[in-house]
Amino acid sequence: MAQILDGKSLKEKILKELKQKVDCFEVKPTLVVILVGDNPASKIYVNNKKKTAEQLGINSQVINYPSEITEAELLTKINELNNDPSVTAILVQLPLPEHISKENVMNAIAPQKDVDGFTPYNFGKLFSGEEPTVYPCTPKGILLLLDEYNIELKGKHVVIVGRSNIVGRPLSQMMLNKNATVTVCHSYTENLEQITKTADILVSAVGKNIIEGKMLKTGCVVVDVGIFKDENGKTRGDVDFESAFQIASYISPVPGGVGPMTITSLMLNTVELFEHQV
Ligand code: GUN
């Protein structure tokens, strides 16, 4: 039976320390979150970000644009925020409506205010094995969680299912930098089960229920990044928790595993950017 990777407790521990740090700042960091449209999941994420920032004494502002906003208008706003010295961190919530180029938007954010680590500059740094201004939040949260439980990455076979720019791709590089052997699987991967069976650490970030206990190696570590509502309205992850729990040595629950760590990393990144700037 597995031990739980408790992201909720670790979040509380890290944010308590972070609040003490922020309390000592005379001027506080300011995080601006841009939300385009009314995607219900994005709205919940953005509200959580704002609420957590406020609890820490970090200034936060949410700018909510209708989905009809043009790319040019959005880029003008980002430019304004880049040039406003009182704004220390900028986040554009993804996904964006189809008529807006995500690449152009990410490219417009000043790298020193890029709290997600998603700009081409910071991604380029990460992919060339250099230190970006900050690391992307979900991968960073996963590494913090594994580290808390003293789970070693060096020499381990890490299998990541999902190759998104938010999780799979940056996580693969961060794991490589920690000397893991990394395999990235995706929708075209053949014989997924044969590969997942060889994972010492399995990370699934797909957003649908695809991993069952029988696909895992006994004693492996399971990190479940997926979160969605099933047909009965129950919050679920990518991994069938009951069967995986019997096989794994550690498993992150949904909710309460990776989700709280993403928001923790966002707060850490907000403070790191602020410290770089002052
Ligand atoms: N949408 C889902 N996850 C994220 C994230 O980590 N950052 C941003 N900007 N958008 C997201």
Side-chain angles (χ1 to χ4, degrees), residues 12-59:
E12 279 165 23
K13 183 169 120 182
I14 293 174
L15 293 190
K16 193 169 162 213
E17 280 171 24
L18 195 64
K19 182 166 188 327
Q20 285 167 359
K21 192 176 202 179
V22 175
D23 283 346
C24 296
F25 294 154
E26 254 175 58
V27 180
K28 309 296 183 193
T30 296
L31 167 68
V32 175
V33 179
I34 298 179
L35 173 63
V36 181
D38 51 12
N39 179 313
S42 291
K43 270 189 174 171
I44 294 172
Y45 294 142
V46 165
N47 283 338
N48 278 339
K49 288 169 184 176
K50 186 171 193 308
K51 205 173 81 189
T52 310
E54 280 165 1
Q55 283 164 355
L56 294 179
I58 292 172
N59 299 319

Side-chain angles (χ1 to χ4, degrees), residues 1 10 15 40 51 70 76 84 86 92 97 106 113 117-118 154 164 181 191 199 203 209 214 216 236 239 246 255 267:
M1 277 200 313
L10 183 57
L15 293 190
K51 205 173 81 189
T70 65
T76 302
D84 180 345
S86 71
V92 178
M106 292 302 135
K113 297 190 180 185
F118 286 168
K154 191 169 62 187
S164 71
T181 303
N191 303 320
V203 182
N209 188 221
K214 69 177 172 64
L216 304 171
R236 304 211 39 162
V239 179
Q246 302 303 325
M267 297 302 125

Side-chain angles (χ1 to χ4, degrees), residues 42 45 49 91-95 106 116 118 137-138 166 262:
S42 291
Y45 294 142
K49 288 169 184 176
L91 182 148
V92 178
Q93 186 67 25
L94 300 172
M106 292 302 135
D116 268 319
F118 286 168
C137 298
T138 301
I166 294 176
T262 297

Side-chain angles (χ1 to χ4, degrees), residues 133-145:
T133 318
V134 290
Y135 289 92
C137 298
T138 301
K140 174 172 173 151
I142 292 169
L143 292 194
L144 286 170
L145 192 56

Side-chain angles (χ1 to χ4, degrees), residues 1-4 220 241 244-251:
M1 277 200 313
Q3 212 182 312
I4 299 293
C220 71
F241 187 85
F245 184 73
Q246 302 303 325
I247 309 279
S249 56
Y250 291 90
I251 185 167

Side-chain angles (χ1 to χ4, degrees), residues 95-162:
L96 287 166
E98 275 189 7
H99 68 277
I100 297 177
S101 154
K102 189 187 80 180
E103 288 71 28
N104 291 348
V105 169
M106 292 302 135
N107 206 10
I109 300 171
Q112 69 273 19
K113 297 190 180 185
D114 169 23
V115 74
D116 268 319
F118 286 168
T119 56
Y121 174 86
N122 281 319
F123 243 49
K125 285 262 185 190
L126 178 60
F127 277 70
S128 55
E130 292 174 50
E131 187 121 343
T133 318
V134 290
Y135 289 92
C137 298
T138 301
K140 174 172 173 151
I142 292 169
L143 292 194
L144 286 170
L145 192 56
L146 295 176
D147 188 56
E148 176 68 10
Y149 289 84
N150 298 314
I151 296 166
E152 176 81 65
L153 291 166
K154 191 169 62 187
K156 295 290 161 61
H157 185 205
V158 177
V159 174
I160 302 170
V161 186

